C-alpha cells in the first residue's frame, strides 16, 4: 500500500519547523529518520496532510558533555549512539541497548528523538531513558520545557509532547562512581521488537544496592520503573528477599496480550529478567538459580 497524498516542507531551522507545526496543528507530522513514520503512513495507519522534515537541522544533531550532563541532540542516529566513545564512557547502558534496536539499515536512519517521540512500549531507548533518569528537552511556541523521562511516556504511542512541539534533545546524568548497568531483552529473533525487556542502572556499594533503577519494557502500555526495586536497596539480598521483590514486581505490571505472548508469560519473563539482573549486578550467580518464584 502507498501513503495518502500529503504536502512536504523541509524546515530550515527549529523556529521554521515550529511555525509550520503551529500553522497546521495535528494535521502535520514531524519527519526525522522516517523509520516508523513512513511505514505507518504507507499502511495508512496515519494520514497527515503535511510532513515537516527536520532531518537537515544540524543544531539537533550531536553528543556533547556539559559538566556532569551528557547532552544528545534529537536527530542523533542510533548508529551514532552505538559508536560514540562519550556514551560508552558515561552511559554504557545506552551503547549496549541500542545494538538491540532493529537492524543496521534502520539504525543508520532512525534517531533518538524519533524513537522517544514514537513511544512504542516495546522500544529499548525509552526504557533506557527512564533507567538513566534522563531529562527530555522539548521546544514549542512558548519556549523550552524539560520533562523527566518518567513523566514523558503516557501510553501506547503517546507522550507529553503537544502537536506544536519538537523534541530537541535529551540530557543524561553521567554515570557515578560504583555505577553498574544491565540490559537484556527476550525477542523472537535478534533485531525484533522485544517480547519483554529490562534496562537497569545501579550503584553498588560492596554487596549492597544504594540505588537501583529497573525500567521494564514491552510489559505494559509504556516503560515501567519498577517500584519493587526499592525492596532491594540497602539490604542484604538473599534469595528470599529477591523472591519477594520479584513477586511484588509481577503485581505492579499490567502487561498486554498479543500474538507474541500472553500477559502471564510477560509477567513471568519480567520476574526472570529481574532475577538475572540482580544476580549480574551483584556478581551473585546463586541468585539467578531457582527459577523466577
Ligand atoms: C523493521 C523495523 C524494525 C524496527 N525494530 C525496532 C526495535 O527493535 N526497537 C525499536 O526501538 N525500534 C525499532 N524500529 C523503529 C526505529 O527504531 C525507528 O528509528 C524509531 O522508532 C523512530 O525513529 P525515526 O527517527 O525513524 O522517527 P520517525 O519515523 O521520523 O518518526 C517517528 C514518530 O515520531 C515523531 N517525531 C520524530 N522526531 C520527532 C521530534 N524530534 N519531535 C517530535 N516528534 C518527532 C514523528 O512525527 C513520528 O510520529 C524498527 C523499525 C523498523 C522499520
Amino acid at each position: 500500500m502507498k501513503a495518502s497524498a500529503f504536502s512536504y516542507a523541509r524546515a530550515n531551522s527549529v523556529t521554521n519547523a515550529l511555525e509550520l507545526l503551529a500553522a497546521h496543528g495535528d494535521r502535520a507530522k514531524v519527519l526525522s529518520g522516517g523509520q516508523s513514520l513512513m511505514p505507518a503512513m504507507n499502511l495508512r495507519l496515519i494520514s497527515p496532510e503535511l510532513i515537516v522534515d527536520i532531518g537537515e537541522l544540524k543544531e539537533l544533531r550531536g553528543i556533547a558533555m556539559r559538566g556532569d550532563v551528557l547532552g544528545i541532540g534529537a536527530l542523533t542516529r542510533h548508529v551514532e549512539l552505538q559508536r560514540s566513545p562519550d556514551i560508552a564512557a558515561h552511559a554504557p547502558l545506552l551503547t549496549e541497548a541500542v545494538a538491540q534496536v532493529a537492524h543496521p539499515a534502520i539504525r543508520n536512519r532512525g534517531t533518538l528523538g524519533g524513537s522517544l517521540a514514537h513511544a512504542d512500549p516495546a522500544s529499548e531507548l525509552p526504557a533506557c531513558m527512564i533507567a538513566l533518569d534522563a531529562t527530555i528537552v522539548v521546544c514549542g511556541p512558548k519556549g523550552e520545557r524539560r520533562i523527566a523521562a518518567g513523566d514523558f511516556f503516557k501510553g501506547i504511542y503517546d507522550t507529553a509532547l503537544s502537536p506544536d512541539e519538537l523534541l530537541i534533545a535529551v540530557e543524561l546524568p553521567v554515570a557515578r562512581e560504583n555505577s553498574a548497568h544491565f540490559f537484556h531483552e527476550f525477542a523472537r529473533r535478534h533485531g525484533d521488537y522485544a517480547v519483554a525487556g529490562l534496562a537497569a542502572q545501579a550503584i553498588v556499594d560492596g554487596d549492597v544496592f544504594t540505588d537501583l533503577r529497573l525500567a521494564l519494557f514491552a510489559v505494559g502500555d509504556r516503560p515501567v520503573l519498577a517500584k519493587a526495586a526499592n525492596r532491594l536497596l540497602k539490604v542484604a539480598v538473599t534469595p528470599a528477599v529477591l523472591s519477594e521483590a520479584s513477586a511484588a514486581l509481577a503485581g505492579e505490571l499490567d502487561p498486554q496480550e498479543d500474538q507474541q505472548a500472553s500477559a502471564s508469560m510477560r509477567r513471568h519473563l519480567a520476574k526472570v529478567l529481574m532475577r538475572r539482573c540482580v544476580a549480574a549486578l551483584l556478581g551473585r550467580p546463586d541468585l539467578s538459580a531457582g527459577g523466577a518464584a
Side-chain angles (χ1 to χ4, degrees):
M1 210 188 285
K2 290 287 172 212
S4 305
F6 59 91
S7 302
Y8 171 91
R10 178 176 288 176
N12 54 30
S13 66
V14 168
T15 308
N16 180 220
L18 292 176
E19 284 166 358
L20 289 162
L21 293 177
H24 295 271
D26 59 10
R27 289 170 286 122
K29 272 283 181 191
V30 175
L31 173 68
S32 285
Q35 299 303 296
S36 296
L37 181 64
M38 297 320 295
M41 287 175 63
N42 287 339
L43 290 168
R44 301 208 178 184
L45 298 173
I46 52 170
S47 300
E49 289 174 14
L50 175 71
I51 293 297
V52 179
D53 184 353
I54 62 168
E56 298 295 313
L57 301 183
K58 291 195 173 56
E59 64 264 45
L60 297 186
R61 181 159 279 147
I63 300 164
M65 287 292 300
R66 280 179 234 109
D68 55 3
V69 169
L70 192 57
I72 310 176
L75 282 180
T76 306
R77 292 180 176 161
H78 301 330
V79 65
E80 293 165 335
L81 297 176
Q82 202 177 350
R83 293 181 184 162
S84 160
D86 280 334
I87 290 187
H90 301 296
L93 170 66
L94 205 46
T95 308
E96 200 172 325
V98 78
Q100 305 303 318
V101 175
H103 306 284
I106 290 154
R107 295 199 292 268
N108 286 342
R109 301 292 312 172
T111 67
L112 176 60
S115 182
L116 303 183
H118 188 54
D120 188 315
S123 264
E124 291 83 357
L125 302 184
C128 289
M129 294 302 119
I130 287 181
L132 292 167
D133 202 10
T135 300
I136 315 269
V137 187
V138 308
C139 190
K142 294 183 188 150
E144 282 186 18
R145 294 198 290 146
R146 287 181 149 64
I147 306 168
D151 297 329
F152 184 75
F153 302 101
K154 298 291 187 193
I156 299 177
Y157 308 130
D158 189 16
T159 70
L161 271 172
S162 311
D164 58 358
E165 286 180 315
L166 274 184
L167 194 163
I168 57 169
V170 161
E171 294 172 347
L172 302 179
V174 300
R176 287 181 280 154
E177 206 182 335
N178 298 328
S179 284
H181 71 277
F182 174 91
F183 183 89
H184 190 74
E185 67 181 35
F186 294 110
R188 298 267 169 202
R189 298 168 304 186
H190 178 76
D192 281 4
Y193 276 103
V195 177
L198 172 60
Q201 186 73 18
I203 308 281
V204 183
D205 187 1
D207 53 5
V208 168
F209 290 115
T210 55
D211 191 22
L212 180 61
R213 296 178 66 85
L214 304 183
L216 291 117
F217 55 101
V219 292
D221 68 351
R222 67 195 85 177
V224 178
L225 183 66
K227 295 186 189 75
N230 293 336
R231 293 170 179 253
L232 303 172
L233 291 180
K234 298 178 186 161
V235 296
V237 180
T238 61
V241 167
L242 184 52
S243 288
E244 279 172 24
S246 68
L249 172 69
E252 69 183 270
L253 299 178
D254 183 17
Q256 68 280 19
E257 172 152 5
D258 59 23
Q259 306 92 319
Q260 301 224 66
S262 64
S264 65
M265 169 63 103
R266 286 196 157 94
R267 273 203 190 87
H268 170 76
L269 292 177
K271 288 162 70 179
V272 171
L273 285 164
M274 182 191 220
R275 185 174 285 276
R276 289 188 189 174
C277 168
V278 169
L281 290 173
L282 293 177
R284 294 263 312 275
D286 59 300
L287 291 173
S288 70

